[in-house]
Amino acid sequence: MNWNDLEKHFSPARLGRYRAERGGDVARAAADYSSNVLLSEAMVPLLNVLEIALRNGIHARLSRLYGRTDWWESWVGDPAFRWQNKEVVNAKAKLARRHEAQTPDKVLAELTFGFWSSLFNTQFQTALWKDLRLVFTRCPKPQRQRHNISAALNQIRDLRNRVFHHEPLLWLTPTLLDQHAVGVTVINWIDPQLGQWLSSHDRLPSTWAGWVAT
């Protein structure tokens, strides 16, 4: 497909960054756009493993803390959890529109990565951190501080949003490879066996190396 066709389908605004980075060389810019698609694809295994393991780890800890599997119901009417309560209401509304049962497992699956990362915000230091730190049992104690976990999760959340909104990944600071490494570290903090399992499915490092070599 030639450059004009790419612009027609993907828009000059979207492709402009690629063209500018290559000094107007549209052949190299088109190759970069293809590489960006492949890098987005290659990020999915890490994002999948991290998000699901994180939410299930949080679910286990908060179910124990509140003594119920629908632990979010304990927050209803609590202004400290106003935003989180709205997110739960939105999740239930999605299930209702699809005529699906609002079971704990269904609600969990509808909640966003932003919801999970928000539980490590400063305002929940007292209410939640003592229990949520146990999600990361393999994180070295000097590093197992709420602000460290929060910073890592927020970085991964921002990266996840870029991936799923089809934004450029080639020129990030820190680099995509470095941010990917943060995700791998967090997964290993949850369980090193997860990190080992991911490594057999994770093509991001090799895909990145292939683009850098061009």
Side-chain angles (χ1 to χ4, degrees):
M1 187 177 291
N2 64 41
W3 183 256
N4 289 336
D5 286 333
L6 288 174
E7 285 193 325
K8 179 177 71 174
H9 293 296
F10 300 137
S11 86
R14 175 171 290 275
L15 294 178
R17 172 73 186 276
Y18 298 87
R19 186 172 187 167
E21 289 288 341
R22 291 302 191 179
D25 186 331
V26 295
R28 296 183 73 190
D32 282 346
Y33 193 82
S34 296
S35 294
N36 201 76
V37 171
L38 295 176
L39 287 166
S40 296
E41 176 195 36
M43 278 298 303
V44 170
L46 179 140
L47 296 173
N48 177 291
V49 170
L50 178 53
E51 183 164 355
I52 294 175
L54 177 67
R55 79 183 186 206
N56 286 337
I58 291 172
H59 178 54
R61 298 314 313 174
L62 295 187
S63 294
R64 184 170 181 175
L65 173 63
Y66 291 103
R68 54 192 297 179
T69 55
D70 58 349
W71 38 266
W72 47 85
E73 299 297 341
S74 300
W75 298 344
V76 174
D78 186 339
F81 294 95
R82 182 177 293 109
W83 184 83
Q84 288 74 21
N85 286 330
K86 288 180 180 178
E87 290 295 292
V88 171
V89 168
N90 290 338
K92 290 179 178 179
K94 291 177 184 177
L95 293 171
R97 286 195 295 271
R98 298 200 300 265
H99 306 289
E100 296 183 29
Q102 296 179 7
T103 63
D105 283 343
K106 290 282 190 178
V107 173
L108 286 174
E110 289 298 326
L111 292 169
T112 66
F113 195 94
F115 175 90
W116 303 114
S117 61
S118 77
L119 302 183
F120 297 87
N121 289 349
T122 303
Q123 65 264 36
F124 302 128
Q125 175 79 41
T126 301
L128 301 180
W129 172 245
K130 182 179 178 181
D131 293 271
L132 292 186
R133 65 188 173 86
L134 300 176
V135 174
F136 308 96
T137 56
R138 300 303 295 273
C139 179
K141 285 188 177 181
Q143 294 176 259
R144 197 167 61 181
Q145 305 292 325
R146 184 204 53 75
H147 65 274
N148 290 333
I149 300 296
S150 180
L153 293 180
N154 284 332
Q155 183 175 9
I156 295 161
R157 182 202 65 211
D158 291 343
L159 178 59
R160 179 193 184 279
N161 290 342
R162 291 193 69 85
V163 169
F164 290 114
H165 287 93
H166 319 298
E167 297 297 327
L169 304 175
L170 304 177
W171 307 287
L172 299 178
T173 303
T175 69
L176 178 63
L177 188 64
D178 290 338
Q179 295 193 48
H180 171 272
V182 172
V184 171
T185 296
V186 174
I187 289 170
N188 282 311
W189 285 347
I190 295 171
D191 186 347
Q193 293 186 71
L194 274 177
Q196 293 175 8
W197 187 87
L198 172 65
S199 66
S200 64
H201 300 77
D202 188 3
R203 293 182 290 104
L204 189 282
S206 60
T207 305
W208 175 261
W211 174 70
V212 170
T214 60

